[in-house]
Amino acid sequence: MTVTRITIDPTQMGGPPCIRALRIPVAIVIGMLAENATIPEILHAYPDLEADDISAALRYAAEVVRERELPLLQVE
């Protein structure tokens, strides 16, 4: 996966994945989407973002989850 809009800089905010080095963590954007924020609402809250940044955050999050096994409760 080629990622161009997601950056990681250990000297910026402790190194979490951010959108284009803007100090907007991917986790914030994904969290807003999980809370049912719309793309226009996110863009309004963070005017430096572009719609492609939100798509890149989603693709990045999907790839991270695909590459890791997370402990989940097993339903019986």
Side-chain angles (χ1 to χ4, degrees), residues 5 9 12 20 30-31 35-36 42 48-49 51 58 64 67:
R5 290 182 174 261
D9 180 351
Q12 180 178 312
R20 293 186 290 121
I30 299 303
E35 294 295 324
N36 296 318
I42 295 169
D48 291 332
L49 286 183
L58 280 169
V64 168
E67 294 298 322

Side-chain angles (χ1 to χ4, degrees), residues 8-70:
I8 296 175
D9 180 351
T11 66
Q12 180 178 312
M13 300 178 65
C18 290
I19 308 292
R20 293 186 290 121
L22 291 174
R23 296 182 158 274
I24 302 171
V26 169
I28 294 293
V29 174
I30 299 303
M32 290 178 78
L33 289 167
E35 294 295 324
N36 296 318
T38 65
I39 291 174
E41 289 171 336
I42 295 169
L43 295 175
H44 180 73
Y46 295 96
D48 291 332
L49 286 183
E50 300 170 0
D52 286 344
D53 296 326
I54 297 170
S55 296
L58 280 169
R59 284 192 305 276
Y60 180 82
E63 191 63 28
V64 168
V65 172
R66 190 177 354 263
E67 294 298 322
R68 302 177 83 162
E69 185 175 319
L70 301 175

